[in-house]
Amino acid sequence: MLIERKFPLDKPIRDSYLPYGRQWVDEDDIQSVIKILKGDYLTTGPAVGEFEQEIASYVGAKYAVAFSNGTAALHGACFAAGIGEGDEVITTPMTFAASSNCVLYQGAKPVFADIDFNTYNIDPQKVEELINDNTKAIIPVHFTGQPVALDEIHILAKKHSLVVIEDAAHALGATYKGKNVGSLSDMTMFSFHPVKHITSGEGGIITTNNEEYYQKLLQFRSHGITREPDKLIENHGPWYYEMQFLGFNYRMTDIQAALGTSQLRKIDKFIDLRKKFASMYNEAFKDINEIQIPYQDQSGSSSWHLYIIRLNLEKLLGSRKKVFEALLNENIGVNVHYIPVHLLPYYSQLGYQRGICPNAEKLYEEIITLPLFPAMTEEDVNDVIAAVNKVINNYRK
Ligand SMILES: *Cc1c(COP(=O)(O)O)cnc(C)c1O
């Protein structure tokens, strides 16, 4: 998202605009895609299968099913979990709308549980309070890449027979109690949008250890059609296929998959750089009273998708909006993640009211996302630090 500079006050810290996130695509990636363009398959062919295997093996899951994007993958997971009309699914409001839209796609009802004020992740205690006979699943989101309290979520899921679908769009490469995110719940979704850890242009995937989910996901992403002889009700001959339920065309292309596989080879480097830049920010901001740096829970290791500062507004003369605009004037591509989903107009019209998640609503007023992506340089990081210092000094009470 590019927001125009509106109020040029003085010489900005940077001459050029630094976005909050951006892909890293190099010659290897380009060659991988060219190879596909010169080959036999453009849409779902062998490169998709290869990408699925690489992701499954990276996270330590048995199966992976690639989708055209992460939102489609979440929709597939909700379908495979059997979520439908009359069901309730508990998720966090501090996320992108896709985490709960997938529930609506299935005709079910998203229920928002408030966040923990330290981690900004869904609070398992709030989840428990919302569980009732209609609750079918929980969709926790590893917000910013910091793993959710999965042990607590799994205890609740087991006690109440709920399916757990992790939204790990921010968390490729994160670990929880030493184990990779992607192998720990019924299903886990990763996104390959260009701002995420690795990209396939658009793309998403579900990882799972459950064969039944795996089979359903495969069929769902391709119209509900199967050609597998042992699944067919009839069989008219070699051309024969059956559409057995209403699925979608949510297939990933080989072009996307080849890019994704090439990107995955660089994941360790990408995460190391994200961690390094995040610690530079932490170090620079830890003693500034007007700013709270992201709390890191010791149960997990974040893969640092986002770096979010929280403003101590009582110590500042300006509002979050003023600080945000001042940073934009320094040519720093700040952002806000997220507007709590239940406050979005579509959700308001469905009846979700302000006040149901006070922590998320309060946090939303105080946060600013700073640029963080592997392709930035240490100089870029230092520009952001200088800009934050300049702006905070300006608005300090
Ligand atoms: C990016 C994202 C998604 C959706 O992924 P797309 O690939 O863009 O469809 C879902 N949830 C969260 C938290 C995300 O950040």
Side-chain angles (χ1 to χ4, degrees), residues 69-71 95-96 98-99 141 167 169-170 189 191 193 196 203 338:
N69 58 67
T71 306
T95 186
F96 183 58
S99 311
V141 179
D167 178 336
H170 298 183
M189 183 281 289
S191 163
H193 180 280
K196 306 287 164 67
Y338 290 93

Side-chain angles (χ1 to χ4, degrees), residues 90-92 113-116 121-129 131 135-142 147-167 176-177 184-187:
I90 300 173
T91 189
T92 171
D114 208 355
I115 55 163
D116 174 286
N121 274 328
I122 199 169
D123 180 345
Q125 210 171 314
K126 299 277 164 48
V127 172
E128 185 163 28
E129 289 165 19
I131 294 173
T135 311
K136 178 90 185 177
I138 308 172
I139 304 182
V141 179
H142 305 293
V148 159
L150 279 176
D151 280 354
E152 286 83 347
I153 297 287
H154 288 154
I155 289 168
L156 293 175
K158 198 160 181 209
K159 188 166 158 202
H160 300 277
S161 304
L162 309 176
V163 180
V164 177
I165 302 166
E166 292 172 42
D167 178 336
Y176 178 73
K177 302 204 167 161
L184 306 173
S185 294
D186 296 296
M187 289 178 266

Side-chain angles (χ1 to χ4, degrees), residues 58-73:
Y58 175 70
V59 303
K62 262 194 192 155
Y63 309 103
V65 181
F67 284 79
S68 46
N69 58 67
T71 306

Side-chain angles (χ1 to χ4, degrees), residues 105-353:
Y105 297 157
Q106 283 301 104
K109 182 183 168 194
V111 174
F112 296 102
D114 208 355
I115 55 163
D116 174 286
F117 240 150
N118 287 319
T119 61
Y120 312 156
N121 274 328
I122 199 169
D123 180 345
Q125 210 171 314
K126 299 277 164 48
V127 172
E128 185 163 28
E129 289 165 19
L130 293 167
I131 294 173
N132 63 41
D133 289 347
N134 295 326
T135 311
K136 178 90 185 177
I138 308 172
I139 304 182
V141 179
H142 305 293
F143 183 61
T144 72
Q146 162 148 264
V148 159
L150 279 176
D151 280 354
E152 286 83 347
I153 297 287
H154 288 154
I155 289 168
L156 293 175
K158 198 160 181 209
K159 188 166 158 202
H160 300 277
S161 304
L162 309 176
V163 180
V164 177
I165 302 166
E166 292 172 42
D167 178 336
H170 298 183
L172 186 65
T175 60
Y176 178 73
K177 302 204 167 161
K179 293 186 203 132
N180 294 322
V181 167
S183 61
L184 306 173
S185 294
D186 296 296
M187 289 178 266
T188 303
M189 183 281 289
F190 297 99
S191 163
F192 309 116
H193 180 280
V195 298
K196 306 287 164 67
H197 287 83
I198 64 167
T199 189
S200 58
E202 290 274 357
I205 210 162
I206 299 292
T207 58
T208 181
N209 293 319
N210 179 313
E211 205 205 329
E212 199 185 314
Y213 292 147
Y214 170 64
Q215 296 293 347
K216 279 191 185 158
L217 290 163
L218 281 178
Q219 205 167 336
F220 183 79
R221 77 162 174 203
S222 198
H223 312 276
I225 286 174
T226 185
R227 291 174 177 278
E228 286 190 35
D230 55 337
K231 282 205 211 154
L232 297 174
I233 299 164
E234 298 175 24
N235 195 341
H236 304 174
W239 68 87
Y240 187 70
Y241 61 83
E242 282 178 355
M243 181 189 143
Q244 298 173 329
F245 57 80
L246 186 61
F248 289 75
N249 180 352
Y250 276 166
R251 292 185 304 266
M252 179 180 266
T253 65
D254 264 27
I255 303 168
Q256 291 166 286
L259 178 55
T261 300
S262 174
Q263 288 261 301
L264 188 61
R265 295 195 187 108
K266 298 184 268 273
I267 183 79
D268 290 344
K269 175 170 78 180
F270 287 170
I271 290 172
D272 285 349
L273 285 165
R274 284 177 178 275
K275 285 184 175 164
K276 178 172 144 191
F277 299 152
S279 12
M280 286 172 70
Y281 284 149
N282 280 339
E283 192 53 35
F285 302 142
K286 70 181 190 326
D287 298 323
I288 302 181
N289 290 326
E290 290 77 10
I291 292 177
Q292 196 173 315
I293 62 172
Y295 168 84
Q296 292 301 292
D297 195 274
Q298 292 311 304
S299 62
S301 167
S302 177
S303 54
W304 286 104
H305 168 55
L306 298 175
Y307 190 92
I308 293 178
I309 54 168
R310 182 164 162 197
L311 302 177
N312 190 341
L313 292 170
E314 275 149 35
K315 294 201 156 94
L316 290 166
L317 292 168
S319 61
R320 186 265 307 268
K321 191 172 174 216
K322 284 270 182 277
V323 174
F324 189 100
E325 286 171 342
L327 286 166
L328 274 187
N329 278 322
E330 302 301 333
N331 262 325
I332 305 300
V334 281
N335 212 316
V336 172
H337 294 91
Y338 290 93
I339 304 161
V341 176
H342 65 286
L343 300 181
L344 297 171
Y346 183 77
Y347 280 83
S348 301
Q349 284 155 28
L350 290 178
Y352 294 90
Q353 306 214 331

